[in-house]
Amino acid sequence: MISILLFAQLQEEAGCSEVEIEADAVSIADIKTLLQTKYGIGSLLESCFVAVNEEYVEDTVVVKNGDTVAFLPPVSGG
Amino acid sequence: MISILLFAQLQEEAGCSEVEIEADAVSIADIKTLLQTKYGIGSLLESCFVAVNEEYVEDTVVVKNGDTVAFLPPVSGG
Amino acid sequence: MNPFAITTLPLNVEALISYVSSPQAGAINTFIGTVRELTGEKKTIYLKYEAYVPMAEKQLKKIGTEVQEKWPGTRIAIHHRIGSLAISDIAVVIAVSTPHRAASFEACRYAIERIKEIVPIWKKEHWEDGTFWVGNQQETISYEKGEPK
Amino acid sequence: MNPFAITTLPLNVEALISYVSSPQAGAINTFIGTVRELTGEKKTIYLKYEAYVPMAEKQLKKIGTEVQEKWPGTRIAIHHRIGSLAISDIAVVIAVSTPHRAASFEACRYAIERIKEIVPIWKKEHWEDGTFWVGNQQETISYEKGEPK
């Protein structure tokens, strides 16, 4: 199982904060496609950073069973 | 009367914090000479700033009866 | 005290100052980010901050490590509040102590800039005339892909 | 609260922060100068600060005016303590609020540099092996004559 976390506007667009998928060795691109087609997330996804297990990763990483993938809109803390 | 205020090391050198002189229209140079000859203040006086009535002044100012003249060693607050 | 924390509670500036204070310090710089009422002509009613809490705390700690590498002898603490904040409420406090003053300013400034780059916290403005997630609709800003530097 | 004060009492950082806080402020920077134990190899036991109090308060106020001219929309308060201070005691607190963060750092840094130039306060170090009036025996520093700029 892979947990997908959504924050801020992404969460509002999807209408949920967490999505779980049964999968292993999935690309970030595949997850993005899922979020866009099934959860109606729009172009904001293209400007998001991605973190796997609480660490920023490149878009090219492959996600494994047990990982937590977070999609992070441009941050605005401080 | 002119009040002369001494601070920090100047005060320690002179052994007093305030000197009063009966005078009018005295130059800073004259007051310095007095401090050096009568109160034993040394070369530190040359690196002091001078304030008259709580405002910095140039060394060339003439001090009048009623004024308060302060000799201020290089400051070290903060 | 946890020096790098995300919390829903009001922030305590004195606690952070005490934490960084030390006999080796001659200077403490603190930066406090507060909720401003006006941004341009927009009037804020309140703000809401949201965070990816465990990752945000890790990132704050990472900023602390960066600061201590760049300015040896520094002590630093950073707390960020999340949830609803009213005008003048404190959103973030950074306290930095250093032996000499120049480094305290530089290190504190560095820390707030890094917070705005790499810590997963989001601000939602609640204005008189609507709401707005800050940072994701400003098309003048281009976000490069990959890990934020 | 008097925003520009010289006092023998312990300084209250929170009071200065409250004073400068405002709905227009998005950033508050504070600088706190503390008594450091070691300067090079010299070990400080305590410090004594002395001031020409009425003139020093006027000069602090002047620095406040300069800051508000250079960074419009700023609120600022500065308190300096005098008398005997122990290690880690707070000697000076500057609090500056501004609409945006960059100015808060710049204005606060400006204020501490000006304090060190124009405010008649003197520090006497009491070391393990003697005393020393800081600022008047350092022959590497040349003091130009006339009014400090």
Side-chain angles (χ1 to χ4, degrees), chain C residues 12-15 17 21-39 87-88 90 98-106 108-110 112-113 116, chain D residues 12-15 17 21-39 87-88 90 98-106 108-110 112-113 116:
Chain C
N12 180 340
V13 179
E14 290 281 4
I17 291 173
S21 183
S22 96
Q24 284 74 51
I28 300 172
N29 192 273
T30 70
F31 178 81
I32 300 166
T34 56
V35 178
R36 192 179 55 237
E37 186 167 29
L38 293 173
T39 297
I87 305 301
S88 290
I90 297 176
T98 56
H100 299 281
R101 70 187 180 283
S104 75
F105 283 93
E106 291 162 13
C108 191
R109 180 73 195 267
Y110 177 86
I112 183 63
E113 299 304 330
K116 289 172 179 287
Chain D
N12 182 341
V13 178
E14 290 281 4
I17 291 171
S21 183
S22 96
Q24 284 74 52
I28 300 172
N29 191 272
T30 69
F31 178 82
I32 300 166
T34 55
V35 178
R36 191 178 55 238
E37 186 169 27
L38 293 173
T39 296
I87 305 302
S88 290
I90 297 175
T98 56
H100 300 280
R101 68 185 181 285
S104 75
F105 283 93
E106 292 164 11
C108 190
R109 180 72 196 267
Y110 177 86
I112 183 63
E113 300 304 328
K116 289 173 179 286

Side-chain angles (χ1 to χ4, degrees), chain A residues 75-78, chain C residues 1-13 16 31-35 47-61 63 76-85 89-95 111-124 133-134, chain D residues 26 101:
Chain A
V75 304
S76 50
Chain C
M1 192 190 79
N2 175 0
F4 304 104
I6 305 291
T7 174
T8 57
L9 302 172
L11 300 182
N12 180 340
V13 179
L16 275 80
F31 178 81
I32 300 166
T34 56
V35 178
L47 291 184
K48 224 162 175 175
Y49 281 97
E50 178 182 323
Y52 182 11
V53 175
M55 182 172 171
E57 291 189 336
K58 275 189 192 174
Q59 294 297 104
L60 292 180
K61 194 170 178 180
I63 293 170
I76 177 168
I78 309 174
H79 284 192
H80 201 300
R81 190 173 172 192
I82 56 174
S84 286
L85 275 73
D89 277 355
I90 297 176
V92 61
V93 180
I94 304 165
I112 183 63
E113 299 304 330
R114 288 297 274 161
I115 287 170
K116 289 172 179 287
E117 286 170 359
I118 68 164
V119 182
I121 299 175
W122 300 272
K123 174 163 73 174
K124 189 176 191 177
W133 279 106
V134 178
Chain D
R101 68 185 181 285

Side-chain angles (χ1 to χ4, degrees), chain A residues 30-51:
Chain A
D30 287 346
I31 298 174
K32 283 187 175 178
T33 302
L34 174 79
L35 292 173
Q36 286 170 324
T37 55
K38 192 167 166 194
Y39 293 90
I41 289 178
S43 63
L44 173 60
L45 205 53
E46 295 312 313
S47 56
C48 285
F49 288 109
V50 181

Side-chain angles (χ1 to χ4, degrees), chain A:
Chain A
M1 199 185 70
I2 295 168
S3 295
I4 300 167
L5 304 182
L6 302 173
F7 291 96
Q9 187 174 329
L10 285 185
Q11 199 174 95
E12 292 180 357
E13 290 186 12
C16 67
S17 60
E18 187 166 356
V19 172
E20 297 191 338
I21 57 173
E22 289 297 335
D24 189 29
V26 187
S27 72
I28 299 295
D30 287 346
I31 298 174
K32 283 187 175 178
T33 302
L34 174 79
L35 292 173
Q36 286 170 324
T37 55
K38 192 167 166 194
Y39 293 90
I41 289 178
S43 63
L44 173 60
L45 205 53
E46 295 312 313
S47 56
C48 285
F49 288 109
V50 181
V52 173
N53 303 330
E54 302 173 8
E55 298 287 346
Y56 286 111
V57 296
E58 299 291 328
D59 258 21
T60 51
V61 83
V62 172
V63 183
K64 290 178 282 298
N65 184 34
D67 283 345
T68 297
V69 186
F71 288 87
L72 311 173
V75 304
S76 50

